[in-house]
Amino acid sequence: LENLRHAIALDPLNLNGLANLAEAYIYAGQYSQSIEQSKKVLEIDPTFSNAYTLLGFAYFVDGKAEPWLDNWEKAATLNGDAEGLARVKAARQEYPESGYRGAVKRYAEAQEEQSKRIYIDPAMIAVNYAAIGEKDKAFACLEKAFAEKSSWLLYLKAFPSFASLRSDPRYADLLHRMGLPL
């Protein structure tokens, strides 16, 4: 965080640097700071889609479905991502009946459905299942990600949703096979 703040002091209008700080706040568990930082980015450029993605992630890991989905919808719209919009729509439809947990589960199911015809990193699907405590599904996705050498596995120890998996022996085994310390 200190290095990112220093980089921003040197180049205060660098949107990528500002967004990197917002992302780092998520991994540090400082969701309100991430939200504030993402909003600063959007004040400079309201079309910077990555800021909406990060803002949505901060709300997602904080368990706030409506702003999570609102921001991911904005990011998908700006990126022309029809598949992302379809996932958000599916989660929104589930939310009134099943709440946050149901929306996240429906989002993950939509990812799995779409992954039959387009590539969706299985580690990203695992994030969603881990967030709602569906450990078996999360580990199944992580095993697939491991087999595919997913770059998203780099976040296994950092992304907040995976914290729910850390007490499971499968987590330690996966880290061991990846050559990472527990």
Side-chain angles (χ1 to χ4, degrees), residues 73-89:
E73 180 176 22
K74 288 175 187 171
T77 299
L78 285 169
N79 290 327
D81 181 3
E83 302 291 349
L85 286 169
R87 291 189 298 271
V88 168
K89 180 180 177 182

Side-chain angles (χ1 to χ4, degrees), residues 1 22 33 39 73 91 120 137 154 157 160 162 164 166:
L1 292 173
Q33 291 90 333
K39 287 179 178 179
E73 180 176 22
I120 297 181
K137 288 186 178 185
L154 294 172
K157 292 181 73 172
F162 292 137
S164 68
R166 292 186 184 133

